Amino acid sequence: MPLSTRISHTRLRVRYAETDASGITHHSAYVPWLEAGRVDWLREAGLSYRDLEREGFNLPVIELHLRYGTATRFDVALVVRTALADLRSRGLRFVYEVVTDEPHARQVANGMSRHVCLQDGRIAKLPEAIRLLAGAETG
């Protein structure tokens, strides 16, 4: 169950370069899509990842899980739904659902990513701005 009530919806289309020799979306294409979902989630919450980096913070991925369901092909319209699932003092976890962008959406994949907070290259507490975003939604 997501911690966040905010769900971002990142729309994209499968690019030809993201398909394999069989014309099916390659499994590696999903990782950048999830990243786009995280960045959009933060932006829609009013927080720029670029601003976090300017303050010396990074949120590297330390764990990633993906479960593939339905294959997709070139030019299929998709939506990456992203939500904050867990927040700790020094890290957070996002959950994702990749679905077709159509009235009766089909789930293509789902997953999660876990991140640790680094400040100037060292493990640190999450910036207050992130903690406040989650707190404003849950409390």
Side-chain angles (χ1 to χ4, degrees), residues 34-53:
L34 303 187
E35 180 180 317
R38 283 192 303 277
V39 171
D40 284 352
W41 188 93
L42 287 166
R43 183 181 301 114
E44 291 171 15
L47 189 60
S48 162
Y49 194 82
R50 181 177 303 243
D51 290 344
L52 286 173
E53 287 183 325

Side-chain angles (χ1 to χ4, degrees), residues 9 19 25 27-29 31-32 38 41 59 68 71 75 77 87 92 95 115-116 119 122 126 128 136 139:
H9 294 80
T19 62
T25 305
H27 64 274
S28 64
V31 177
R38 283 192 303 277
W41 188 93
L59 300 171
Y68 302 96
D75 209 34
L87 184 69
L92 56 143
V95 290
H115 307 261
V116 67
Q119 184 175 26
R122 295 183 177 190
L126 283 169
E128 185 176 357

Side-chain angles (χ1 to χ4, degrees), residues 2 25-26 28 51 62 78 82 91 95 100 106 125 131:
T25 305
H26 193 268
S28 64
D51 290 344
I62 60 170
L78 299 172
T82 306
V95 290
T100 56
R106 292 176 294 120
K125 286 189 175 184
R131 288 181 280 141

Side-chain angles (χ1 to χ4, degrees), residues 79-90:
V79 178
V80 180
R81 298 176 183 161
T82 306
L84 182 64
D86 190 27
L87 184 69
R88 305 293 170 136
S89 63
R90 291 175 168 74

